[in-house]
Amino acid sequence: MKFPSPKRQIITEAAQSFTFTRRTMVLGAIQGGIGALLAARMAWISIAENEKYTLLSESNRVNLTLIPPRRGWIIDRNGRPLANNRTDFRVDLIPQRVVDADATVKHLAQLLSLESDEVDRIREELDKSAGFRPVQVADKLTYDQYAAVSVRLPDLPGVAPSQGFSRHYPAGSTVGHLLGYVGAATAEEYKERKNPLLITPGFKVGKDGLERAFDEHLTGQPGAKRVEVTARGKIVRELTTRPDTPGHSIKLTIDAGLQEYAGRRLATQSGSVVVIDCTNGDVLAMASMPSFDPNSFSDGISQLEWAMLSQDDHVPLRNKTLQGLYPPGSTVKPMVALALLEAGIGPQETVGCAGALRVGNTLFHCHKRRGHGAVNMRTAIAQSCDIYFYQMAQRIGMDRIAAMARRCGMGQRFDLPFPSQSYGTVPDPAWKLKKYDQKWQVYDTVNATIGQGYMLINPLQMAVMAARLATGKQLMPNFLHGAKRPSPSSVGASEEHLAIIRDAMSAVVNGGGTGGAARMAIPDVLIAGKTGTAQVRRITMAERAGGVRRDASLAFKLRDHALFQGFAPFDNPRYAVGCIIEHGGHMIRNEDAPMIASDTLSYLFDPKKAMEKLETLEKGWGGTPTERQARQMGAFRLARAIEKGEVPPPAADNASNAAEAGNSATPSPAPPAPDEAGDVPPPPGSNVADAP
């Protein structure tokens, strides 16, 4: 089969010319289109996006750095600073810019002579840090240290030295729980707010206390600094600087001198003192000790110091004034007596106290084993007779007592600028039924009437109760100086009944009652008050038969709480005080609640005399809180070093000598004075013996 051969195409010059021309036009059109696109793009970049690329090119030449604003001062009622700012040199690390973290940290540790625990903190924070959030290396540097880091910046990428302001608390640990502290913003805070100021080296936000509550008010507006830099980031010259705008200051009702005195006067104890102005409810002092030094937290606390604070059985990290809850013990007896008067019980009615009272199948004891004999209301308050209140409370019932307790401030929620508070409990039949689905029993009333059982209070509420008993008005605690407040309403008790209660509270201190240690050494100034003891353990019948163990023989957590509430002057109340010594046990007279409260109030009448006494006492306590904490930190650091094998343990003979020296330096507990020995064991555990 033959296939037809294809026709031979004849290529002419005209055909070739046509083909070439057509291809040329296509290629030309494509080139023209590309050229037009390029021209349009160039026009877009040079005209429409001129500002963007100008800024980008400028950023290669110029660095814009935010200047953290200075925080507003926190001042006391007299204008004295409680928290201010001071200039300092500091060094931070920007994690995302660090090339070799270990080498950089090691180099900085050598340059700045950092402690090993500081190095551990920096490395831990670098691991947890996100992006550009700065990690503080050190602050309060000398100029030589600052210069030594600055000249080595080309070899230390990610290191950011700066000169700025740091938060300073002149009173140290005595304002720790009151003011709180500041610190660098966390990664979570930055993700939530997306504010570049939060990742600016040196910028701090409020973390606790009033610093946190008023953080927005205290934070000012940042400044900015433009500097010309080389391609490697080395500063050539400073171009312009816009200064920061400081935050607003806050004036508190606190008296700075009294606040520091109260914190120091708490001595080596764990507890709280609150002082309130009886004319308007202003809080003049709110000390909780032991505490932390807010300067340490603001500077970046080391792991070692944090471990020491968190392991201390005196719990220095807890604000005992607002977060601590304690049975009020016998300090509620004046309030209960006021409820008795309002219920129609006369102040001269007597009760026979034989030392114990059987309620149902349980025997409730008075703190005086042999009893007080026949006692009326004044004597019962002055001598803190439990039997009187056991019997009288059963006559009027718990509802009336609970109502009076609430009117006196117990269990009340105050509108305060603090992020965390505990409010206590005022129990009654309705409360128990709702809480435990159980009916109220007579023994519940007996326990509550002496401030035990379910009843709980914090030190601020105790001071408020004292102020309301002193004035008959429902004063509300206030921390902002000059704040507008409505006139307080009445407690709902007659002036005649209030006078009876005040007279009985004066007898507690000045009439041979249980609070003789609270007598003031200020001429013509008498203090009225009420002592209290709150037990934290149950005393069995067997122990009672063999002799109740003294607090000195018990572990710290098993000792009684010591309490005192009162006001001065007795005849014209101006100041009210509440003091709770956690597990104090009434063991050391000059470190007991009555004397601490009395001395604190005496500062308001004669500061010089009060300070002279305090300085004398502090010599026996080992110095001021700052000095004692420094020694505690040194001992803790040494113990950790021995534990890690970095330091050899002391020789056995040296250790024993040191132990003997330590024991001899510790003051032995003084026996209670005759006039205050009466108010020692009233609570559920102490007064309730095992059923026979």
Side-chain angles (χ1 to χ4, degrees):
M1 181 178 180
K2 285 186 176 182
F3 293 96
S5 59
K7 291 184 179 179
R8 190 173 182 181
Q9 186 175 6
I10 300 174
I11 299 175
T12 64
E13 185 176 349
Q16 287 181 335
S17 177
F18 175 76
T19 301
F20 178 77
T21 301
R22 186 174 57 183
R23 291 177 179 175
T24 301
M25 290 177 66
V26 172
L27 290 173
I30 293 173
Q31 290 176 344
I34 293 174
L37 288 174
L38 290 174
R41 178 60 177 165
M42 290 175 64
W44 175 263
I45 291 173
S46 61
I47 299 173
E49 295 191 328
N50 177 271
E51 183 177 357
K52 172 185 175 181
Y53 287 100
T54 299
L55 291 175
L56 287 175
S57 63
E58 183 73 2
S59 67
N60 290 331
R61 182 183 72 89
V62 177
N63 276 352
L64 180 66
T65 304
L66 289 178
I67 300 175
R70 286 161 288 176
R71 287 180 74 81
W73 285 24
I74 301 177
I75 59 178
D76 81 334
R77 63 191 303 110
N78 302 310
R80 182 176 168 184
L82 293 166
N84 55 15
N85 307 302
R86 62 182 180 188
T87 57
D88 73 328
F89 295 105
R90 58 181 293 115
V91 173
D92 295 278
L93 281 173
I94 311 300
Q96 195 163 334
R97 295 176 181 171
V98 175
V99 176
D100 187 341
D102 288 336
T104 301
V105 172
K106 185 177 180 180
H107 197 169
L108 289 173
Q110 293 174 346
L111 284 175
L112 304 177
S113 302
L114 300 178
E115 297 282 352
S116 59
D117 54 308
E118 279 294 304
V119 174
D120 293 339
R121 175 190 64 80
I122 295 168
R123 285 176 173 157
E124 182 180 354
E125 290 189 12
L126 274 175
D127 292 338
K128 295 180 179 179
S129 185
F132 285 90
R133 188 175 76 87
V135 171
Q136 178 174 299
V137 176
D139 68 350
K140 300 183 180 67
L141 302 177
T142 65
Y143 180 78
D144 291 340
Q145 290 175 313
Y146 175 78
V149 174
S150 298
V151 298
R152 292 171 173 82
L153 286 182
D155 302 322
L156 296 171
V159 176
S162 61
Q163 179 181 358
F165 296 89
S166 64
R167 200 61 160 166
H168 178 59
Y169 303 90
S173 60
T174 58
V175 296
H177 293 299
L178 171 68
L179 301 184
Y181 60 95
V182 297
T186 63
E188 290 74 19
E189 287 173 324
Y190 175 69
K191 291 176 182 177
E192 179 182 348
R193 295 163 61 179
K194 296 296 182 182
N195 187 344
L197 185 59
L198 296 179
I199 57 174
T200 302
F203 179 71
K204 302 290 180 66
V205 297
K207 294 289 187 178
D208 195 16
L210 297 179
E211 289 278 21
R212 178 179 172 184
F214 296 110
D215 184 61
E216 186 175 342
H217 185 83
L218 293 168
T219 301
Q221 296 298 319
K225 180 172 66 176
R226 295 175 69 247
V227 293
E228 188 175 2
V229 296
T230 65
R232 296 187 63 185
K234 184 177 181 180
I235 297 176
V236 177
R237 62 192 175 103
E238 187 174 305
L239 299 176
T240 58
T241 299
R242 185 190 72 208
D244 65 296
T245 303
H248 300 286
S249 294
I250 292 176
K251 190 172 186 179
L252 302 180
T253 60
I254 297 295
D255 182 314
L258 180 66
Q259 175 71 26
E260 185 173 358
Y261 182 92
R264 291 169 61 180
R265 187 57 186 86
L266 280 165
T268 62
Q269 300 297 321
S270 173
S272 172
V273 175
V274 180
V275 179
I276 292 178
D277 189 331
C278 288
T279 61
N280 54 16
D282 284 353
V283 178
L284 302 180
M286 190 185 81
S288 169
M289 298 295 283
S291 180
F292 56 87
D293 187 347
N295 292 302
S296 296
F297 276 76
S298 300
D299 298 340
I301 190 169
S302 67
Q303 290 181 324
L304 195 65
E305 186 173 357
W306 172 260
M308 181 191 75
L309 292 172
S310 58
Q311 294 173 20
D312 193 332
D313 62 356
H314 283 42
V315 201
L317 295 175
R318 185 180 67 200
N319 183 345
K320 298 172 181 63
T321 307
L322 297 177
Q323 298 172 356
L325 290 177
Y326 310 90
S330 295
T331 60
V332 301
K333 289 177 179 176
M335 177 274 298
V336 175
L338 189 59
L340 296 176
L341 291 171
E342 293 299 305
I345 293 178
Q348 297 305 322
E349 290 189 46
T350 61
V351 167
C353 172
L357 177 70
R358 183 170 296 279
V359 179
N361 64 347
T362 305
L363 197 63
F364 287 80
H365 294 269
C366 184
H367 69 83
K368 189 173 182 179
R369 193 167 186 175
R370 297 176 183 175
H372 292 94
V375 293
N376 59 16
M377 182 177 291
R378 187 178 189 273
T379 305
I381 293 176
Q383 298 299 326
S384 200
C385 177
D386 297 327
I387 302 301
Y388 175 90
F389 289 96
Y390 292 158
Q391 293 197 28
M392 291 299 187
Q394 292 181 66
R395 286 174 56 180
I396 69 171
M398 189 61 202
D399 284 325
R400 286 182 172 179
I401 296 174
M404 180 59 72
R406 295 187 183 99
R407 281 148 56 191
C408 287
M410 295 183 63
Q412 187 170 355
R413 300 192 174 206
F414 305 121
D415 184 16
L416 303 176
F418 290 90
S420 179
Q421 300 177 53
S422 298
Y423 301 102
T425 302
V426 176
D428 59 20
W431 174 87
K432 185 178 181 182
L433 188 62
K434 180 179 179 181
K435 180 77 174 179
Y436 297 106
D437 195 23
Q438 296 177 2
K439 290 184 178 180
W440 188 264
Q441 303 296 331
V442 176
Y443 57 77
D444 290 322
T445 300
V446 171
N447 270 333
T449 195
I450 58 166
Q452 293 284 173
Y454 301 114
M455 191 171 282
L456 294 172
I457 196 172
N458 67 38
L460 177 63
Q461 291 171 336
M462 178 175 289
V464 170
M465 177 170 63
R468 293 185 179 183
L469 290 173
T471 64
K473 299 177 181 178
Q474 296 191 44
L475 295 171
M476 299 294 287
N478 172 58
F479 285 88
L480 291 180
H481 190 269
K484 294 181 179 179
R485 289 161 287 166
S487 299
S489 57
S490 171
V491 169
S494 68
E495 184 58 35
E496 179 186 357
H497 291 166
L498 288 169
I500 293 171
I501 299 303
R502 293 177 196 135
D503 177 65
M505 293 178 70
S506 177
V508 170
V509 179
N510 310 298
T514 59
R519 288 194 193 98
M520 297 183 72
I522 308 297
D524 302 323
V525 178
L526 296 179
I527 181 175
K530 183 68 191 79
T531 55
T533 302
Q535 287 188 318
V536 296
R537 69 186 186 96
R538 181 182 179 86
I539 299 177
T540 64
M541 181 67 81
E543 181 180 346
R544 217 175 261 286
V548 178
R549 294 177 60 188
R550 297 180 65 86
D551 282 297
S553 66
L554 298 172
F556 174 73
K557 293 290 186 181
L558 297 179
R559 297 172 186 167
D560 301 339
H561 300 314
L563 309 94
F564 183 87
Q565 58 101 343
F567 50 86
F570 149 69
D571 52 352
N572 184 24
R574 178 62 198 277
Y575 307 108
V577 65
C579 178
I580 296 180
I581 302 301
E582 200 174 55
H583 305 294
H586 300 289
M587 297 196 318
I588 306 175
R589 183 181 175 88
N590 62 26
E591 295 185 40
D592 201 3
M595 190 173 286
I596 291 174
S598 176
D599 286 351
T600 302
L601 286 186
S602 71
Y603 178 91
L604 292 165
F605 297 96
D606 192 339
K608 183 179 179 181
K609 188 174 184 179
M611 285 302 302
E612 288 174 354
K613 179 178 180 180
L614 175 61
E615 289 168 358
T616 301
L617 290 172
E618 283 184 330
K619 293 177 182 178
W621 300 333
T624 65
T626 301
E627 293 168 342
R628 296 197 302 269
Q629 192 172 35
R631 283 197 300 275
Q632 183 185 3
M633 186 67 203
F636 191 83
R637 180 179 281 109
L638 177 61
R640 278 297 180 89
I642 294 174
E643 184 180 323
K644 293 180 179 179
E646 298 172 355
V647 176
D653 56 343
N654 292 338
S656 61
N657 292 338
E660 291 175 6
N663 292 334
S664 63
T666 303
S668 57
D675 57 2
E676 64 175 347
D679 190 25
V680 182
S686 72
N687 292 306
V688 181
D690 288 343

